Amino acid sequence: MENRKPAVSIVFASPQGSTREIAEYIGDDLAARGATVEVADAEHAPDLSRFDAVVIGSAVRDMALLPTVSEYVASHRNELSARPVWLFSVGIEPALRGPIGHAIGGIVPKRIAAVRDSIGPREYQAFAGHYERVGVSLGARILYRLLGGGRYGDLRDWTAIGAFTESIAQALKLHAPHTIPIHP
């Protein structure tokens, strides 16, 4: 990777778009630093033999990564173990505040930990996504508030996402970005 641009595959699963936007932001940032980047959903992920590194992202449902990402990791475990991998998830837990919310937000659910541990990524990061009030039951809204949910809408922390991307760039020995990507 020293004499050529590193090739990075960013694979994601995003039923509502929040994880896709994070994956695209990471891809734009790494490309601005000189990497060759391909961003694709897990169902249409490219052949990994062309890539030096992989970033995998998934929305969280029922305290687990989406099945398409879990299946992708299981079926590509050997290829993933042969290159550096970073993993991120997008759910509601990182947005929780207060003592109970911080305690819950700091726990990696067992099913996510199992996928993470199966590939040993260089880093795993959980990010908050979108949480809209519309369509959420009264019981779920009450629980969200009791656990420390402060607001609805776009809860993503772009500073934390940028720091995650910076750590990937440093590990790949990429230079400072030529342009600064704009998050959605």
Side-chain angles (χ1 to χ4, degrees), residues 148-163:
R151 63 182 177 86
Y152 295 93
D154 188 350
L155 305 174
R156 292 174 291 185
D157 180 348
W158 291 103
T159 302
I161 295 165

Side-chain angles (χ1 to χ4, degrees), residues 4-180:
R4 64 176 181 83
K5 297 198 287 187
V8 181
S9 175
I10 301 177
V11 177
F12 68 90
S14 180
Q16 297 175 338
S18 185
T19 306
R20 176 186 47 78
E21 289 175 349
I22 292 171
E24 290 171 347
Y25 175 84
I26 292 170
D28 290 346
D29 190 317
L30 296 176
R33 295 168 181 267
T36 300
V37 178
E38 187 170 333
V39 180
D41 66 76
E43 293 176 348
H44 302 100
D47 175 23
L48 291 179
S49 66
R50 301 183 290 123
F51 297 96
D52 302 304
V54 181
V55 179
I56 302 170
S58 175
V60 174
R61 292 288 183 271
D62 299 323
M63 298 177 66
L65 300 177
L66 294 178
T68 54
V69 166
S70 296
E71 292 163 8
Y72 175 83
V73 167
S75 65
H76 293 88
R77 189 168 290 123
N78 291 337
E79 295 141 295
L80 293 168
S81 67
R83 56 194 39 85
V85 175
W86 286 263
L87 177 66
F88 70 93
S89 63
V90 180
I92 195 63
E93 292 82 7
L96 300 177
R97 302 291 177 245
I100 296 172
H102 282 296
I104 290 171
I107 297 170
V108 178
K110 289 180 183 180
R111 292 185 288 173
I112 294 175
V115 172
R116 178 198 64 197
D117 296 346
S118 75
I119 56 173
R122 291 202 175 186
E123 185 177 352
Y124 164 71
Q125 193 67 241
F127 300 118
H130 280 266
Y131 190 62
E132 301 297 337
R133 183 182 168 121
V134 175
V136 176
S137 71
L138 177 62
R141 290 194 316 264
I142 291 170
L143 182 60
Y144 174 65
R145 291 293 187 174
L146 289 173
L147 293 175
R151 63 182 177 86
Y152 295 93
D154 188 350
L155 305 174
R156 292 174 291 185
D157 180 348
W158 291 103
T159 302
I161 295 165
F164 178 69
T165 305
E166 179 67 30
S167 72
I168 297 169
Q170 287 179 2
L172 297 176
K173 297 180 173 55
L174 298 174
H175 53 72
H178 294 301
T179 60
I180 298 174

